[in-house]
């Protein structure tokens, strides 16, 4: 099985962190292809960054279709471009936020999300409700860390994340923690041991969910809004983004 794990920001060191978490979770027969967006923001911290990041994400999905991928992980906690990506492929596509929230709902009556900036907290709250997780998620918390501080040993990021997790367990009535950034993927196992509760990273969970879905032959439905994009011309800087269905011309 071949699963493509895509970091929609353009920071290679974060892709390495994400890829390591994906490979640690993958079964022996699963190949992980890790990709960094070829264009877009170095970190995704808001709606504008997310919108711009989708182009690089969809280009990576398009490449993955040529690579014969059996599933895709969008390794950014905003799950940018998730629905557009699902239009492009018959393979399962999971975002790390949706995957992590579902996993947390299986193992605890309530969970808290610990993410980066306050504005990301608000975006994650939108996702909680979009995914129907309102009765499971007790609170979304911000550490006020910038995404790129996660890669900076001088930022004291780990301590700030642990402290916010402890506040969540003490104050929110939560039994599990969801790590709200792809750049935190390397912390899940050690924080689970340190805090004594499930601390869930969506990268590893998404890999295992895709192994399950693809292993059962369950792919993305091609009916309704996940049907392939309609053939049409695209103009300007994105003229090469016209969707090319396998074996069909991209424009009428
Ligand atoms: C992420 N941003 O997972 C999100 C999360 C965040 O560049 N990778 C990013 O903190 O906004």
């Amino acid at each position: 099985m071949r699963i493509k794990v895509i970091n929609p920001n353009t920071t290679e060191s974060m892709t390495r962190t994400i890829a390591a978490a994906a490979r640690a979770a993958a079964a022996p027969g699963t190949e992980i292809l890790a990709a960094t967006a070829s264009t877009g923001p170095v970190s995704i911290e808001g709606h504008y960054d997310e919108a711009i990041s989708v182009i690089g994400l969809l280009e990576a999905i398009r490449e993955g279709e040529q690579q014969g991928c059996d599933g895709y992980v969008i390794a950014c906690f905003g799950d940018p471009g998730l629905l557009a990506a699902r239009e492009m492929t018959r393979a399962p596509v999971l975002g790390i936020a949706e995957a992590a929230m579902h996993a947390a709902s299986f193992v605890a009556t309530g969970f808290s999300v610990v993410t980066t900036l306050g504005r990301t907290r608000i975006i994650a709250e939108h996702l909680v409700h979009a995914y129907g997780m309102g009765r499971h998620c007790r609170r979304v918390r911000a550490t006020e860390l910038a995404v790129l501080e996660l890669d900076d040993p001088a930022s004291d990021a780990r301590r700030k994340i642990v402290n916010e997790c402890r506040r969540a367990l003490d104050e929110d009535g939560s039994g599990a923690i969801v790590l709200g950034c792809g750049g935190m993927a390397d912390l899940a196992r050690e924080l689970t041991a340190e805090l004594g509760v499930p601390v869930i990273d969506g990268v590893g969970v998404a890999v295992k969910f895709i192994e399950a879905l693809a292993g059962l032959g369950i792919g993305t439905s091609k009916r309704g809004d996940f049907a392939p994009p309609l053939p049409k011309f695209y103009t300007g800087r994105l003229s090469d983004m016209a969707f090319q269905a396998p074996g069909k011309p991209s424009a009428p």
Side-chain angles (χ1 to χ4, degrees):
M1 184 179 300
R2 176 176 290 171
I3 300 175
K4 189 161 192 175
V5 180
I6 304 163
N7 174 12
N9 73 40
T10 54
T11 297
E12 290 286 353
S13 59
M14 192 166 296
T15 306
R16 288 193 291 274
T17 298
I18 290 164
R23 292 184 172 116
T30 297
E31 177 190 8
I32 299 293
L33 294 187
T36 307
S38 62
T39 180
V42 293
S43 64
I44 298 166
E45 295 170 317
H47 297 293
Y48 184 86
D49 289 347
E50 280 196 13
I52 301 296
S53 74
V54 170
I55 296 302
L57 171 87
L58 298 182
E59 287 178 333
I61 301 276
R62 179 169 62 183
E63 181 188 43
E65 291 295 275
Q66 304 301 319
Q67 294 167 313
C69 292
D70 300 294
Y72 299 89
V73 175
I74 300 173
C76 170
F77 202 75
D79 296 353
L82 177 61
L83 302 185
R86 287 176 174 164
E87 286 188 4
M88 296 176 71
T89 178
R90 291 182 176 278
V93 185
L94 293 184
I96 63 172
E98 186 177 29
M101 290 182 194
H102 280 282
S105 72
F106 299 155
V107 297
T109 299
F111 66 84
S112 295
V113 176
V114 173
T115 190
T116 52
L117 298 174
R119 64 190 304 160
T120 300
R121 176 182 58 76
I122 298 167
I123 293 173
E125 287 171 348
H126 286 312
L127 290 180
V128 165
H129 296 291
Y131 295 148
M133 285 286 155
R135 66 189 181 93
H136 297 288
C137 182
R138 294 281 187 271
R139 185 169 172 183
V140 181
R141 289 173 168 268
T143 56
E144 291 306 343
L145 285 162
V147 170
L148 296 186
E149 285 189 89
L150 296 171
D151 266 3
D152 176 4
S155 71
D156 202 15
R158 187 187 181 287
R159 184 186 60 80
K160 291 174 181 174
I161 293 165
V162 170
N163 289 346
E164 200 62 41
C165 290
R166 291 193 188 284
R167 281 192 282 273
L169 297 175
D170 292 344
E171 300 169 14
D172 301 348
S174 293
I177 301 288
V178 166
L179 296 175
C181 182
M184 297 179 184
D186 56 340
L187 298 176
R189 285 187 184 274
E190 65 181 270
L191 295 192
T192 295
E194 184 171 337
L195 299 171
V197 300
V199 176
I200 295 167
D201 143 55
V203 173
V205 163
V207 166
K208 301 313 280 186
F209 282 172
I210 286 172
E211 284 179 342
L213 290 169
L216 290 167
I218 300 171
T220 298
S221 173
K222 302 323 295 172
R223 293 175 65 88
D225 64 325
F226 291 158
L230 295 173
K232 66 189 65 180
F233 286 110
Y234 280 49
T235 61
R237 282 186 289 172
L238 298 179
S239 56
D240 71 340
M241 289 301 289
F243 181 72
Q244 181 97 23
K248 290 186 182 174
S250 62

